[in-house]
Amino acid sequence: MSDTLLKTPLHALHLELGARMVPFAGYDMPVQYPLGVLKEHLHTREQAGLFDVSHMGQIRLLGEHAAAALEALVPVDIIDLPVGTQRYALFTNDQGGILDDLMVAKVSETELFLVVNAACKEADLVHLRSHLASHCVIEPLFESRALLALQGPKAVDVLARLHPAVSNMTFMQFAALELAGIACYVSRSGYTGEDGYEISVPVELAETLARRLLSEPEVQPIGLGARDSLRLEAGLCLYGHDMNAELTPIEANLGWAISKVRRADGARAGGFPGAETIYAQQKDGVPRKRVGLLPQERMPVREGAQVVDAEGNEVGQVCSGGFGPTLNAPVAMAWIDTHLSGLETELWALVRGKKVPVKVSRMPFVAQRYYRGQA
């Protein structure tokens, strides 16, 4: 099986570090290291964790019309995105469903840098080429660049030893910087709810940079297991689980990701796939939506579990769930009938035939600690 899987540039290093490898999005990826998922999770919350996310897709768009062209595919303000910043975006289809979620950085007025999900990157490339090929140059970087994520409260201290300018960056800022003499793209962002950075690095130098970061006393390698529990505590969606092509941004509770200027009453309203459906849902509501759930017992509630009301009627389904090590308690997200989505609503999840009481909860479950500058 592993012979048929793709490998990231850090594959040999993962094996050297004792990682347990699993298939993920077509790649052989580390799910955990000898430290174990629980300790990896807590270490990231307390110090700094290094994640290999090189399986994700990096794409460059070049041309004076690149921003306007991309804006026609997403309900997000790309044209006015300042150089040196990035923004969360969604590719939508004609029905308003989510084809993928991605990060878009403006490197210059004529260059955009995209990071898309691993399982979607080939389809995303086709999507971009079919719509934008006549407007800008589309350059996939799948083979030439790796991606590392350094996450946790000590990430800034660690990375500042390699380049002090990272200390002055704030959440969602983006810069081209040399780290240990290696030309990198660095953004102050991540997928854990913690402060931290994502670092795009040339493939041939990825292991050198990873070893340099791992040599710092605060840094431990972290696998997919802790990555999932961290993002779940932070209330962050995983594509293919908490959102998909059948579900709109409004159903996914991602209405905040639709830029003000792109909304129905905005200066550049519409023009993206599914706009009318999404606008109608913003106005009229949706029958179901993504919410947080806190199980009231110690039993974790996993993806796929049915959610029922007091009479046993099915009213939703869990889309992500597991144990939250920071909370020392199980947490979950679910699609719930909107009329039952109010905070503290009492429901039940069916786990192996047992009814587990749950309550609708605010998200994130653990407060996000993104660095937005001095108060």
Side-chain angles (χ1 to χ4, degrees):
M1 176 69 177
S2 61
D3 291 340
T4 65
L5 295 171
L6 298 170
K7 296 176 174 61
T8 76
L10 300 185
H11 189 268
L13 178 58
H14 298 316
L15 298 180
E16 178 186 320
L17 294 171
R20 182 162 72 85
M21 309 296 286
V22 298
F24 182 80
Y27 283 78
D28 196 27
M29 295 291 291
V31 68
Q32 67 178 73
Y33 297 87
L35 194 62
V37 173
L38 177 66
K39 289 183 179 178
E40 290 174 27
H41 177 114
L42 295 175
H43 182 89
T44 304
R45 289 272 186 249
E46 294 161 4
Q47 297 198 57
L50 183 66
F51 301 76
D52 178 11
V53 286
S54 303
H55 58 310
M56 299 185 75
Q58 301 177 65
I59 302 170
R60 180 182 286 129
L61 303 184
L62 299 165
E64 61 178 313
H65 303 299
L70 181 61
E71 191 170 287
L73 295 183
V74 297
V76 175
D77 178 3
I78 305 297
I79 291 173
D80 295 329
L81 180 65
V83 170
T85 60
Q86 69 175 7
R87 184 161 286 157
Y88 178 76
L90 303 164
F91 285 138
T92 52
N93 60 25
D94 290 340
Q95 294 73 45
I98 302 171
L99 294 174
D100 198 9
D101 64 336
L102 64 152
M103 301 300 290
V104 181
K106 187 171 280 189
V107 183
S108 71
E109 291 296 347
T110 58
E111 180 179 350
L112 300 176
F113 180 78
L114 280 54
V115 178
V116 302
N117 280 301
C120 304
K121 64 185 181 183
E122 296 294 347
D124 288 347
L125 187 58
V126 170
H127 185 61
L128 288 166
R129 284 173 169 164
S130 65
H131 290 89
L132 306 189
S134 62
H135 303 285
C136 60
V137 174
I138 302 161
E139 182 185 354
L141 306 173
F142 302 165
E143 305 300 327
S144 61
R145 299 196 74 84
L147 193 66
L148 307 179
L150 185 68
Q151 298 284 290
K154 300 296 185 182
V156 59
D157 299 330
V158 170
L159 209 59
R161 293 171 198 148
L162 278 62
H163 200 306
V166 302
S167 300
N168 300 321
M169 296 174 70
T170 57
F171 181 55
M172 298 295 264
Q173 286 192 331
F174 181 94
L177 297 173
E178 281 200 2
L179 301 177
I182 301 169
C184 298
Y185 283 143
V186 180
S187 64
R188 197 160 189 173
S189 59
Y191 193 51
T192 62
E194 293 292 332
D195 184 24
Y197 302 85
E198 293 176 307
I199 306 162
S200 173
V201 55
V203 159
E204 64 275 12
L205 296 171
E207 184 175 328
T208 299
L209 182 58
R211 288 184 184 277
R212 176 67 180 81
L213 292 169
L214 288 168
S215 72
E216 298 297 328
E218 301 94 335
V219 181
Q220 288 285 346
I222 312 296
L224 290 174
R227 180 172 164 86
D228 193 56
S229 57
L230 287 159
R231 70 91 190 172
L232 181 55
E233 286 187 340
L236 301 174
C237 290
L238 176 61
Y239 190 80
H241 299 258
D242 312 297
M243 54 182 162
N244 57 50
E246 307 299 319
L247 298 160
T248 70
I250 310 307
E251 292 172 307
N253 215 354
L254 295 172
W256 56 266
I258 302 173
S259 298
K260 185 176 180 180
V261 74
R262 307 300 310 284
R263 294 176 187 171
D265 58 352
R268 295 200 303 280
F272 60 90
E276 295 310 314
T277 296
I278 292 169
Y279 292 157
Q281 290 182 347
Q282 283 184 307
K283 179 183 177 183
D284 302 328
V286 289
R288 58 179 173 170
K289 63 192 298 188
R290 178 178 63 94
V291 302
L293 294 180
L294 283 178
Q296 300 300 293
E297 298 178 357
R298 295 288 292 175
M299 181 180 292
V301 173
R302 307 286 184 184
E303 179 183 356
Q306 290 182 354
V307 180
V308 300
D309 62 15
E311 287 72 44
N313 302 307
E314 184 174 352
V315 296
Q317 187 176 63
V318 174
C319 48
S320 283
F323 186 75
T326 311
L327 296 175
N328 193 30
V331 292
M333 295 191 289
W335 303 100
I336 297 294
D337 292 351
T338 300
H339 71 283
L340 292 171
S341 65
L343 292 178
E344 300 298 315
T345 300
E346 296 182 352
L347 299 167
W348 289 262
L350 301 183
V351 180
R352 296 190 294 275
K354 173 180 168 54
K355 289 176 68 176
V356 178
V358 298
K359 282 187 179 181
V360 177
S361 168
R362 292 186 188 279
M363 292 188 289
F365 303 104
V366 173
Q368 295 166 346
R369 296 197 285 184
Y370 305 129
Y371 179 71
R372 302 182 187 274
Q374 298 297 331

